[in-house]
Amino acid sequence: QVQLAESGGGLVQDGGSLRLSCAASGRTFTFSRHGMGWFRQAPGKEREFVAGISWSGGTAYADSEKGRFTISTDTAKNTMYLQMNSLKPEDTAVYHCAATTTLWITRIPSDYDYWGQGTQVIVSS
């Protein structure tokens, strides 16, 4: 079993920055055995892929996040991060981290086996 816990959300102004964290735990969890992803869900909208990182450190981003967001992991801390810069009001959503036993990056939510409870990000205009 894998447990994921997000933190770092909050209220920020248009153009500001936030860093989200996802602490992973569980007897079987290692980044070398799991692909990881960040998703977000705004009210009334479907959950959408934001960024992903493979077991080998390869990364992928949604087109709207390229150049603004950076995904990374700290294996010593078993923690994944999402650095978000130049935030826009349309980035407002609940952000979830997720883990999959699929080792490559997948943008499909149903491919992920474990999910965190989410952290709220609100970007004010």
Side-chain angles (χ1 to χ4, degrees), residues 4-75:
L4 303 173
E6 304 94 336
S7 61
L11 174 64
V12 64
Q13 289 189 333
D14 190 356
S17 298
L18 282 175
R19 188 177 79 158
L20 305 183
S21 299
C22 173
S25 60
R27 189 168 56 86
T28 61
F29 180 83
T30 65
F31 285 122
S32 63
R33 293 182 178 178
H34 294 84
M36 303 292 294
W38 284 100
F39 290 78
R40 67 187 182 190
Q41 189 165 18
K45 295 188 177 181
E46 292 186 354
R47 189 166 295 190
E48 63 177 1
F49 174 81
V50 174
I53 187 165
S54 71
W55 70 276
S56 61
T59 60
Y61 299 90
D63 288 343
S64 59
E65 276 68 68
K66 284 181 181 177
R68 298 192 301 127
F69 292 4
T70 303
I71 188 172
S72 63
T73 56
D74 184 332
T75 55

Side-chain angles (χ1 to χ4, degrees), residues 69-125:
F69 292 4
T70 303
I71 188 172
S72 63
T73 56
D74 184 332
T75 55
K77 297 181 178 180
N78 259 12
T79 300
M80 177 176 67
Y81 301 98
L82 185 68
Q83 177 67 44
M84 304 188 294
N85 299 326
S86 302
L87 283 162
K88 307 172 184 178
E90 51 264 44
D91 294 319
T92 295
V94 176
Y95 284 70
H96 298 268
C97 65
T100 175
T101 52
T102 301
L103 297 180
W104 56 87
I105 298 170
T106 172
R107 300 170 184 249
I108 303 172
S110 60
D111 285 343
Y112 287 79
D113 306 291
Y114 306 100
W115 291 85
Q117 79 288 350
T119 186
Q120 177 75 58
V121 171
I122 300 173
V123 184
S124 63
S125 57

